[in-house]
Amino acid sequence: MGKRLLAVLLALVVVLAGCVKTKSDVSGEKDGGETKGGGGSDKVTIELLGTSAGEEDMNIVRDQLIKNGFDVKLNIQPDYGSFKAQRDAGNYDIALSSWTTVTGNPDYAVRSLFKSDGDNSNINDSVVDELIEKASTETPDEFKETYKQLEQQIVGEKAYIAPLYISFKAQGVNKDVLNPDTVRLAKSRAIAWETIDFKDASKRDADALITQQAIGSLTSLDPIKGNDGSINTLNTNMYVRLVNLTDDDQVVSEGSLSYNYAIGEGNKDYYFILRDDINFAKVADGKAVDTGERVGADDVVFSLNRAKDRDSVPDHRTYSLHESMKNIEVVTDLAELEDAKLSSGEGSVLEALGEGLESDITELVGDKTAADSSAGKYQVVKVTTNEPFPQVLNYLAHQSAGIVSKKQVESINTYDVAAFDVNKDIPYGDQRTVTEGASYDNHLYASGPYILLKKNDYQADFVKNPAYRAGSEFEPKISSVTVRFIEDADSALSALRNGEIHLFNGVPETKYELVENDDKLVLQKNDSNAVTYLLFNASDRDVAKSENLRKAVLYSINQDEFLNYYQGNKKKAYSTVSPLVDTGNELVADPAKVKQFLADYQAE
């Protein structure tokens, strides 16, 4: 989702950061996890968990807390896996965390993180739940005030998080190898590989596009089972969706499975007319081959039903993004489209779906093999939401709404979900099936422009889907893509400057000048929806019990010091909503408040 919490970003992920030993002497540091000072000190000790990638931020937070009368213990983990183990064990008071809203809508920025039943939530607050649900049914003009109240509850009233900053999004491109004009940098969605081309187009088949990501252990190649920096970009490029986001977060059909989409009157019915020029790819004899199976309406219905069903797979990590969908069905009655009015009040759904098509819509078919756009025979899928909810379109553009093969997934996932044994059962998308060695047995079916061929500890190799939009502008330009696993940002930047990789998505703000001053590189920069914040332990330690202690930490945070450190290449944040809705909320450091809240905490 994710991520830091996401060095990739992308999107959506959340990547949290953590560690075991401190890299510097910190006053009051203890081996234990107590939050109140010990060893003769009357200071409160706060344990800050993060990864080595976030050490600069951790040092700034440490210094601010010490300045406000705390003792600080740094718990710096070398990678996300060890950080997660520390976090799951509760070995922290605050954890350096990050979230990128890869769908471009504010509901996604809060639902998973803060709703009581959210996939990544450690909060249980009925007021928060009510405000999230209220905002989800409102238009942008209406939801601004609701999100303002929500932010105040999460931050100012309860201090469930302490915001640090909003990041920019930047990537370095080797312009001697790639044509920079073909490399996209979207505000929200993960980078799309199919548009990228070499400066010398004759190299498309002979050479690989070489890029990188920080995380090498892949959560899952089943799009609904992961929402983090390990798979957001990979699954985005492996599975087509009903709609996409433009680089500035507008929902469109371009580059998706639909020719057009339409919103019915009342904002509860959403119609999609499907393309008939995409087949699933599979891997055979070390190559990507056309399965001959078209990506159709039955696959869409299957994929979205399992996306919204919490119990469709074990460890479902994205169901809360899709709970707004009540029903997904194939429409075969042309009269329904003629009678259905658009939400705008002007025209019918049939007119909207038929705009710009090669042939007029003369028939709707249920069988995907009978679809033939040249003859006017189309498939239409209708999504109905529980309540009016236009933001459902943003979720349908997310990688977790990627379309999988109903036939293939059902043939692999034969286990009993309730009795799933991670040591015995091999689910669809398990990284073991694509990892080189004895476990390799690639069972993936890709509906998108690329398919993962194989991976090891150092890289993942992708090849183009030969049956994806062949002959169109969306057919992948480059035949193969190699994703190198480089966790450290400085190492990734060095690899870019040395020509070992061609594209580095995630150039640190403090390194912009190195890229800009390199004659063979170009720096691409955009706003992003990535927010870094401190997450409080909600199940253990005194910070879970004491609002006063959390607020003392909150008002110790001076965001200006982060902006100065990053040379102005950060923005102030109040919550994960900040990049999307201007609520006017702002966190202002206040030592006097810190002193009072600490005194109130000590008196508890």
Side-chain angles (χ1 to χ4, degrees), residues 35 46 92-93 536-537 540-546 549-550:
T35 55
I46 291 293
Y92 72 99
D93 293 305
F536 287 94
N537 187 327
D540 197 5
R541 308 288 181 92
D542 282 2
V543 291
K545 309 166 190 173
S546 174
L549 180 54
R550 296 197 301 271

Side-chain angles (χ1 to χ4, degrees), residues 158-368:
K158 295 296 184 180
Y160 294 130
I161 66 170
L164 301 183
Y165 55 75
I166 302 169
S167 294
F168 286 99
K169 196 173 187 178
Q171 62 188 10
V173 181
N174 188 323
K175 63 184 179 181
D176 288 348
V177 177
L178 301 178
N179 177 356
D181 294 337
T182 67
V183 183
R184 295 174 55 183
L185 181 61
K187 187 170 187 274
S188 295
R189 68 166 288 182
I191 188 168
W193 295 338
E194 68 264 29
T195 65
I196 301 176
D197 203 358
F198 287 120
K199 182 177 180 181
D200 180 357
S202 68
K203 295 183 177 181
R204 290 175 176 174
D205 294 329
D207 293 355
L209 163 66
I210 306 176
T211 182
Q212 59 73 231
Q213 70 176 37
I215 304 173
S217 180
L218 311 182
T219 303
S220 179
L221 300 163
D222 182 341
I224 66 172
K225 292 193 66 177
N227 189 18
D228 59 75
S230 76
I231 49 79
N232 279 338
T233 297
L234 310 188
N235 283 346
T236 293
N237 285 286
M238 278 221 301
Y239 299 100
V240 72
R241 295 158 300 283
L242 283 177
V243 287
N244 278 323
L245 292 180
T246 64
D247 291 352
D248 60 353
D249 288 348
Q250 302 303 305
V251 178
V252 295
S253 288
E254 281 80 0
S256 76
L257 183 59
S258 69
Y259 288 111
N260 292 310
Y261 72 89
I263 305 174
E265 190 174 31
N267 292 336
K268 290 180 68 174
D269 294 326
Y270 302 82
Y271 298 85
F272 306 85
I273 187 163
L274 305 188
R275 310 191 63 86
D276 60 355
D277 59 353
I278 301 175
N279 284 2
F280 289 103
K282 67 177 182 179
V283 171
D285 298 324
K287 298 179 180 180
V289 299
D290 181 355
T291 64
E293 179 188 352
R294 180 180 294 173
V295 183
D298 60 333
D299 303 300
V300 174
V301 173
F302 173 75
S303 299
L304 299 186
N305 272 324
R306 69 195 295 267
K308 74 184 184 74
D309 179 5
R310 181 176 190 162
D311 299 319
S312 63
V313 292
D315 198 23
H316 194 328
R317 300 192 181 187
T318 60
Y319 64 87
S320 68
L321 307 185
H322 303 292
E323 290 177 317
S324 66
M325 295 187 292
K326 179 180 181 180
N327 191 47
I328 303 102
E329 60 187 309
V330 182
V331 178
T332 55
D333 183 3
L334 198 59
E336 177 178 342
L337 304 186
E338 294 173 329
D339 296 338
K341 303 302 180 185
L342 295 174
S343 62
S344 64
E346 299 179 1
S348 70
V349 168
L350 179 63
E351 292 170 338
L353 293 181
E355 187 175 346
L357 295 181
E358 176 186 0
S359 302
D360 292 339
I361 305 170
T362 59
E363 183 180 354
L364 301 182
V365 298
D367 182 355
K368 65 185 179 184

Side-chain angles (χ1 to χ4, degrees), residues 546 548 595-604:
S546 174
N548 286 318
K595 184 177 180 179
Q596 184 60 56
F597 283 125
L598 276 176
D600 292 343
Y601 162 66
Q602 297 283 21
E604 289 176 358

